[in-house]
Amino acid sequence: MMRPYVQFQMTSIIVRLRRALGYVCAALLLSGCSDLPASLKSLNDYQQRVTNTLDQPAVSFTVPNYPRLPASRDLQVEVPRVSISLLDAWRIESCPAAQLIAERNSALGKLSQGVTRYYGDLLLVDAGRECVATLRAEDPNLAERLAAALQQKAATLEAARQQAIASDDALRHALRMGANGLLEADDAVFAEQLAALEQVVYALEQSQPQSDAARVEAALQTIHQSDYLPSLWRTLQEQSAYLAQLATITDNLAERAGCDAPSRPQRAEILHTVFLKFFIGEVQPQLAAVTAQGQRAAVVLQRLQALTSQPLLQDYLAQLQGSVAQLRVATKTHVQPWQNFFTACEFTPGG
């Protein structure tokens, strides 16, 4: 059951160690230089043109306090073990459930964890119920013992789901804040990653298996092998933070542009061009693309938030969802002084 992904999980420890080392190296590099995050290149180019026109110092980006995914050790849930005797396991070998039990007890099966293990539990309980129905006429006593074990197993499913949400490596990778933001939004990559995340959340929402195991396995691998969603979360944070930090360049914009003079000064004309060409023409489409992707992702995050009973994780997911609204508000707040500037300097709307 899900053998390829279990093997993939075995290698993920090495991948996480390498990734952690990469994060440390990136932090060291950032501490030694002032490279701007990739997600802010266009915004920074725009603000430098504004500050140059206004003869004031450029704004340096101050890194915000990013939300942090709670450590899995702080989200651990105890899942009671349920078993049947070896003799009973042998007696039901003709049932599909017997193969699932054998795979679970194998060396590879014992390594399964997270969503893989939870979905395996759903499959086992579902197959076990079919086995009970078949055995009732053949061996009522065995059927009753198996039914009792299945009832106990079903009672552990909620704890297993909570443990899966808390500990699954692929899911945690998709939810954590990325080391870097996005250079640009990619709708094709985003659609693939969001569909995979939605498939994983859908699997967690079920009390009975509704998808084949291979589809869940493929979705887990897809989100585990990409940094797009982690980078999206960081981009939402970076762009909203930087827009807030740019409030100093739009303060009293009309007055500093000299729009109180009898004729409209050249500085105002240059600012008008900069805003239309670089903010409206380049920055705003990027902000809109990231906001749109964040909004779509927030719907899936909200479903996952409804599944978890862990306050720490609920709060973190709420912060990721809230970053979409923060960017929308930050964008609107940044544009408002420019609208005042257009009115004060008597520029026609849209031109």
Side-chain angles (χ1 to χ4, degrees):
M1 179 174 58
M2 296 190 182
R3 290 180 183 272
Y5 186 64
V6 173
Q7 292 172 327
F8 181 77
Q9 287 176 315
M10 295 173 67
T11 65
S12 69
I13 297 176
I14 297 175
V15 173
R16 291 200 306 273
L17 289 174
R18 289 178 177 174
R19 183 178 291 126
L21 180 60
Y23 290 167
V24 171
C25 293
L28 291 174
L29 288 172
L30 288 174
S31 66
C33 61
S34 57
D35 288 345
L36 195 74
S39 68
L40 303 180
K41 294 297 185 182
S42 295
L43 257 174
N44 187 62
D45 178 53
Y46 148 74
Q47 74 92 5
Q48 286 184 328
R49 292 175 185 276
V50 174
T51 51
N52 286 341
T53 304
L54 293 174
D55 294 324
Q56 68 179 82
V59 176
S60 297
F61 176 59
T62 300
V63 178
N65 292 321
Y66 300 110
R68 297 187 63 179
L69 177 66
S72 57
R73 64 177 176 273
D74 295 328
L75 303 172
Q76 290 298 309
V77 177
E78 186 67 29
V79 182
R81 291 181 60 112
V82 178
S83 62
I84 61 175
S85 71
L86 290 175
L87 182 58
D88 283 349
W90 177 79
R91 287 173 174 170
I92 65 168
E93 64 177 357
S94 61
C95 293
Q99 181 181 352
L100 296 177
I101 293 173
E103 290 182 354
R104 172 60 62 84
N105 291 330
S106 69
L108 197 59
K110 290 177 180 178
L111 292 174
S112 67
Q113 59 180 334
V115 177
T116 300
R117 191 171 186 86
Y118 172 70
Y119 207 71
D121 286 343
L122 292 184
L123 292 169
L124 181 58
V125 171
D126 190 56
R129 286 169 177 159
E130 292 183 14
C131 187
V132 169
T134 302
L135 288 172
R136 288 203 183 278
E138 302 172 4
D139 191 336
N141 291 332
L142 176 58
E144 288 302 318
R145 290 197 299 272
L146 182 58
L150 287 173
Q151 186 175 10
Q152 294 176 34
K153 186 66 176 176
T156 71
L157 288 178
E158 181 54 35
R161 173 163 54 187
Q162 295 303 317
Q163 179 65 3
I165 296 172
S167 65
D168 189 272
D169 288 339
L171 184 57
R172 287 182 60 81
H173 173 70
L175 295 178
R176 65 168 46 95
M177 194 67 54
N180 301 290
L182 299 170
L183 180 60
E184 60 181 352
D186 188 318
D187 286 338
V189 176
F190 171 73
E192 176 190 49
Q193 292 299 309
L194 184 63
L197 178 61
E198 188 170 20
Q199 177 64 57
V200 172
V201 173
Y202 177 74
L204 287 166
E205 288 173 330
Q206 307 310 310
S207 57
Q208 292 184 342
Q210 301 295 324
S211 303
D212 61 87
R215 183 178 298 179
V216 179
E217 175 186 346
L220 287 165
Q221 290 197 43
T222 296
I223 61 174
H224 206 164
Q225 294 174 335
S226 173
D227 289 330
Y228 192 88
L229 290 177
S231 295
L232 175 62
W233 315 139
R234 188 179 183 96
T235 299
L236 288 162
Q237 295 283 325
E238 287 176 342
Q239 291 183 341
S240 60
Y242 198 38
L243 281 170
Q245 292 165 25
L246 294 185
T248 56
I249 74 171
T250 56
D251 185 38
N252 296 322
L253 190 59
E255 180 180 338
R256 286 188 289 167
C259 289
D260 53 353
S263 60
R264 191 161 59 205
Q266 183 181 17
R267 174 176 288 184
E269 297 285 357
I270 295 174
L271 287 173
H272 172 258
T273 299
V274 167
F275 181 75
L276 292 181
K277 181 177 181 180
F278 295 97
F279 187 85
I280 298 299
E282 297 181 9
V283 173
Q284 192 172 54
Q286 294 181 12
L287 296 177
V290 169
T291 301
Q293 290 187 359
Q295 185 61 52
R296 290 176 59 192
V299 176
V300 182
L301 294 181
Q302 187 175 31
R303 288 166 54 188
L304 182 60
Q305 184 183 17
L307 290 175
T308 179
S309 60
Q310 304 268 15
L312 290 176
L313 188 54
Q314 288 177 339
D315 181 64
Y316 176 77
L317 293 172
Q319 290 182 71
L320 291 188
Q321 295 170 63
S323 63
V324 181
Q326 289 174 1
L327 180 54
R328 188 181 295 111
V329 170
T331 302
K332 182 178 180 180
T333 300
H334 183 79
V335 170
Q336 185 60 54
W338 282 102
Q339 294 176 335
N340 297 337
F341 162 79
F342 273 49
T343 299
C345 295
E346 297 182 349
F347 286 107
T348 58

